[in-house]
Amino acid sequence: MNNNKDKPIKDEIIENKDENIGYDKAEIDADKLMAEYDKESTYRRLVGLPGKLVYVIAVCWTVFQLYTGLFGTFPSTLQRAPHLASAMVLVYLLYPMSKKQVTLEETTHIPWYDYALAALSFAVGAYHIVFYDELLLRAGAFTQVDFIISIIAVILILEAARRVAGMVVVTVATVFLFYALFGHNIPRGTFLFHAKFSPIRIFSTLWLGTEGILGTPIYVSSTFIFLFMVFATFLKKSGVGDWMTNLATAAVGGSVGGPAKAAVVASAAQGTVSGSSVANVVSTGSITIPLMIETGYDKNFAGAVEATASTGGQIMPPIMGAAAFIMTEYVGEPYGVIALAAVIPAILYFSGIFLNVHFEALKNGLVGLPKEKRKDPKVLFKTGWYMLLPVLLIFGLLIGGSSAMKAAMYGILGCIVIWIINIVKEEKKFNFVNFAKMFIDSLDESARSAIAVAITCGTAGVIVGVVTMTGLGLKMADGLVKLAGGSLLLTMVFTMLSSIVLGMGVPTTANYIIQATISAPALVSLGVPPIAAHMFVFYFGIVADITPPVALAAFAGAGISGGNPMKTGFNATRLGIAAYIVPYMLVYNPILVLVNVEGYSTGVFVLMVLKSVATAILGMGGVAIGFTGYFKTTCKPWERILLIIGGLLSIDPGTVTDIIGIAILASIYMVQKNRVKKEAA
């Protein structure tokens, strides 16, 4: 770790001259910050011939994906193998064997062995294309050559994952691989025992079949995940991301604790652009964290606000984290249904943070931004309302039943239109050559952003393949339920702990795939609706980003604020308490993910949804006040305890608990109101 990370990257504030921005923005070394806290950013800054080679490969990869998005995907492995092989080639050209070899300086050096590994990656991918018909006709009758190619492919994907995602995910995949090879030696009769599989069958199935590395995760990655990443890139390039951030600052920046509230709202908006917690922290935090510190917020708290809000970007529709797209295959619902089901949980998550921030600001007497630091939100909206069109278009198509790929393609076209409009508005002309260059650069950037997801999905495919082959998934699900004694609450607690621990070293996507294969079926077996069960494990995989001791989003926030990383992490955990409560709410009250378990009529169902959301938000307020320790005035210890209890009762779906919870909250409010009157008198 960098010994100087407790110091701000740079304290200098520069004025951003963009007419749609107009706020002071911290000049941070974003590359340095991302390289320190984000494994995906530890790549070579290549120039010269190697740089051009990587550029061409990346652009060609994106063009291939756009082609299949426009004209339809190729059959199974013909779509998936080139996708994963392209990612592997780019990993070996961009990511060095050791993080120590990474500098932020430009270089032309790629070791010969990385060129060799890149060539092998191309070869194992090409094997699927060249021998596609033969592999199809053999249908599992694997040859010695198949075996050798498959072993090479598995080793290549594991090494690529080590470079991009870290050692933990590789270790987990390797353990599963060894289980497939030697699990037959476990005493017969124990639940982990499985029949013997030959090495040729294990490795060849993992690489040449469609239930291993090239299974469901890579299928999703090679179709709509990649296209949504292209959409996210173009959305940022078009200026929509900055506009959203500054509209949020203008809208709530003047209220009590305005800069912190702006961070919450802006990060919620940025969730439609980026599914990466660290990337969200760096992009929006460079504006919001200095503003918070300037208006009196503690550095550790300022970094925590941004980290907690940015982490929620992965659960914010319409573009959630990559794992949400994979959820469509596990749950068996279109992505539009998943995105719609995530709306209320996202509202609850961000409401919890917003309320925490509000009462913290009241407690410390933190005011909002002065007028000269804010633009008029009406002016910003009037001059940039059209910026919302790509997001509204994509959300409307998804809710309307269009396929995710079609929605992504239309969204990309919408971004291009907005991009051109903004160029013409700013420069009063349109230079096609310059735009074409920026367009192609964006294709390169899109491919780079997709590398880690593709590699993670491929590595998770090793785990999924072993689980499918050995039947481990059902065994683990049954074992989890038995360990919990059939208790739904204990099963959820065990699942939560495993998701958080796993998430400390494994990317969200891989974490979700593992838990969706093992833990989610356990919850479903106890009567939990599939979409609620999968949302449960999805949420807790994300929460790891703000849970010490490994809280990468919080550490990135501390890198900008100059705060202490661990203190920032613990502050983020407190602020993000909603993230630890919401998943339980979804299981006990599936109506929050729009599952009509009780079979209500449409009208009654809508009323029940509104009632559940209203009482849940009220309950979030009670919990936030209890943890903050301030309501109308400073809370006494017994008041804090009662407020948390009342909040939790209001969150509970039962009508009786709602009434009791609201009564407790109202009583504390009246007690404090009278106390304030007496103190004033």
Side-chain angles (χ1 to χ4, degrees):
M1 280 290 182
N2 182 357
N3 293 327
N4 295 320
K5 71 183 178 185
D6 286 351
K7 298 177 182 178
I9 301 297
K10 285 190 181 179
D11 291 325
E12 181 183 2
I13 302 293
I14 59 172
E15 182 73 15
N16 191 316
K17 298 299 183 181
D18 190 304
E19 64 174 4
N20 281 327
I21 298 177
Y23 301 112
D24 292 337
K25 184 174 182 178
E27 185 187 0
I28 64 167
D29 191 336
D31 283 345
K32 181 179 178 182
L33 205 58
M34 292 291 286
E36 184 169 359
Y37 298 111
D38 187 16
K39 185 76 175 176
E40 300 169 23
S41 300
T42 56
Y43 55 83
R44 302 179 177 110
R45 272 63 181 175
L46 294 171
V47 293
L49 190 59
K52 291 177 182 177
L53 174 64
V54 167
Y55 185 85
V56 169
I57 294 171
V59 170
C60 288
W61 184 21
T62 307
V63 169
F64 167 76
Q65 296 292 158
L66 290 174
Y67 175 86
T68 58
L70 283 170
F71 301 107
T73 58
F74 292 104
S76 60
T77 53
L78 290 181
Q79 175 76 20
R80 305 173 199 183
H83 174 80
L84 183 55
S86 298
M88 290 162 66
V89 168
L90 289 172
V91 166
Y92 288 115
L93 295 178
L94 279 171
Y95 292 82
M97 185 172 288
S98 170
K99 187 176 180 179
K100 294 178 181 178
Q101 298 173 334
V102 176
T103 66
L104 299 182
E105 297 176 0
E106 295 179 343
T107 181
T108 59
H109 177 66
I110 300 176
W112 66 268
Y113 51 81
D114 279 347
Y115 279 116
L117 293 172
L120 279 174
S121 299
F122 174 80
V124 295
Y127 190 78
H128 272 282
I129 300 169
V130 175
F131 298 102
Y132 177 75
D133 291 333
E134 293 180 34
L135 291 170
L136 205 60
L137 291 171
R138 285 208 296 270
F142 303 115
T143 67
Q144 198 66 29
V145 176
D146 292 341
F147 180 44
I148 294 169
I149 289 292
S150 298
I151 287 179
I152 294 171
V154 171
I155 293 171
L156 286 170
I157 189 67
L158 292 177
E159 170 59 13
R162 187 191 68 81
R163 297 188 184 196
V164 173
M167 196 62 203
V168 176
V169 67
V170 177
T171 302
V172 174
T174 304
V175 168
F176 275 82
L177 194 55
F178 273 94
Y179 172 70
L181 288 166
F182 304 111
H184 62 278
N185 293 319
I186 296 173
R188 188 182 294 271
T190 60
F191 84 100
L192 287 176
F193 169 82
H194 66 73
K196 184 176 182 179
F197 301 104
S198 66
I200 188 171
R201 180 179 173 186
I202 293 170
F203 283 95
S204 298
T205 299
L206 286 177
W207 179 243
L208 299 178
T210 55
E211 293 186 343
I213 294 172
L214 299 182
T216 297
I218 279 295
Y219 158 68
V220 179
S221 176
S222 66
T223 51
F224 39 89
I225 286 182
F226 194 102
L227 293 180
F228 272 94
M229 288 191 157
V230 176
F231 171 72
T233 299
F234 277 75
L235 203 60
K236 287 185 287 184
K237 293 289 183 181
S238 65
V240 173
D242 283 339
W243 180 79
M244 286 180 173
T245 298
N246 291 292
L247 183 63
T249 307
V252 299
S255 61
V256 174
K261 291 178 179 176
V264 177
V265 177
S267 294
Q270 283 283 2
T272 65
V273 182
S274 170
S276 166
S277 302
V278 175
N280 284 350
V281 170
V282 173
S283 59
T284 58
S286 61
I287 298 174
T288 59
I289 290 175
L291 286 176
M292 282 187 266
I293 294 172
E294 185 181 332
T295 50
Y297 279 91
D298 175 74
K299 291 180 179 180
N300 298 318
F301 188 81
V305 169
E306 183 56 54
T308 311
S310 291
T311 297
Q314 295 187 65
I315 58 168
M316 189 67 187
I319 307 173
M320 301 156 70
F325 294 95
I326 296 171
M327 194 187 300
T328 64
E329 296 301 313
Y330 281 101
V331 177
E333 296 284 0
Y335 181 71
V337 173
I338 301 294
L340 193 60
V343 169
I344 294 174
I347 290 171
L348 294 177
Y349 177 88
F350 283 103
S351 296
I353 303 170
F354 193 90
L355 290 166
N356 254 310
V357 164
H358 175 73
F359 289 106
E360 187 74 27
L362 286 176
K363 177 181 177 181
N364 293 294
L366 300 173
V367 297
L369 290 171
K371 278 190 176 182
E372 58 269 19
K373 288 278 187 178
R374 293 181 282 122
K375 278 203 169 185
D376 187 340
K378 292 180 181 178
V379 173
L380 274 174
F381 189 80
K382 185 177 180 181
T383 58
W385 61 268
Y386 59 90
M387 299 273 202
L388 291 173
L389 294 180
V391 177
L392 295 177
L393 174 65
I394 208 167
F395 201 55
L397 287 169
L398 288 171
I399 301 305
S402 295
S403 70
M405 290 184 70
K406 180 180 178 181
M409 290 305 300
Y410 275 103
I412 292 167
L413 292 174
C415 289
I416 294 171
V417 172
I418 299 300
W419 194 359
I420 292 172
I421 290 172
N422 284 338
I423 289 173
V424 173
K425 277 184 67 176
E426 185 177 342
E427 300 180 5
K428 309 301 181 186
K429 60 180 180 178
F430 180 71
N431 186 315
F432 179 79
V433 175
N434 287 344
F435 178 77
K437 186 179 183 306
M438 290 189 293
F439 179 87
I440 297 172
D441 286 345
S442 298
L443 300 182
D444 168 59
E445 187 176 327
S446 299
R448 289 170 184 255
S449 69
I451 291 173
V453 174
I455 296 298
T456 301
C457 287
T459 310
V462 173
I463 299 166
V464 174
V466 171
V467 167
T468 303
M469 190 184 305
T470 61
L472 181 64
L474 291 175
K475 296 174 185 177
M476 291 294 287
D478 290 341
L480 186 61
V481 173
K482 287 178 182 177
L483 181 65
S487 165
L488 176 58
L489 178 60
L490 276 180
T491 303
M492 287 194 290
V493 170
F494 292 152
T495 300
M496 174 190 75
L497 294 175
S498 64
S499 294
I500 291 175
V501 171
L502 193 61
M504 290 179 182
V506 173
T508 305
T509 305
N511 189 353
Y512 168 72
I513 293 169
I514 295 168
Q515 296 292 359
T517 307
I518 295 171
S519 300
L523 296 174
V524 172
S525 72
L526 292 172
V528 178
I531 197 166
H534 284 264
M535 281 286 183
F536 185 90
V537 299
F538 177 51
Y539 258 70
F540 279 117
I542 292 168
V543 164
D545 281 349
I546 56 169
T547 306
V550 183
L552 295 180
F555 292 174
I560 298 174
S561 70
N564 179 281
M566 289 305 294
K567 288 182 179 178
T568 301
F570 284 114
N571 270 313
T573 300
R574 178 171 65 84
L575 282 171
I577 191 66
Y580 301 86
I581 296 174
V582 168
Y584 287 90
M585 296 167 59
L586 308 183
V587 170
Y588 284 119
N589 192 12
I591 202 167
L592 295 174
V593 285
L594 306 182
V595 176
N596 191 355
V597 177
E598 303 295 332
Y600 296 119
S601 64
T602 303
V604 174
F605 180 67
V606 171
L607 289 175
M608 290 302 295
V609 169
L610 294 175
K611 174 254 184 189
S612 296
V613 172
T615 55
I617 291 177
L618 195 63
M620 286 291 185
V623 172
I625 296 165
F627 275 93
T628 304
Y630 191 91
F631 197 1
K632 291 292 289 181
T633 184
T634 302
C635 297
K636 296 179 180 179
W638 65 269
E639 290 176 330
R640 296 181 70 169
I641 294 170
L642 281 179
L643 283 164
I644 293 173
I645 292 172
L648 292 174
L649 287 172
S650 300
I651 289 169
D652 186 275
T655 302
V656 174
T657 53
D658 284 344
I659 293 171
I660 296 172
I662 292 170
I664 291 173
L665 299 179
S667 299
I668 300 296
Y669 176 82
M670 294 305 298
V671 167
Q672 290 204 359
K673 187 177 180 181
N674 290 331
R675 189 158 75 238
V676 169
K677 282 184 179 179
K678 289 180 181 179
E679 289 172 354

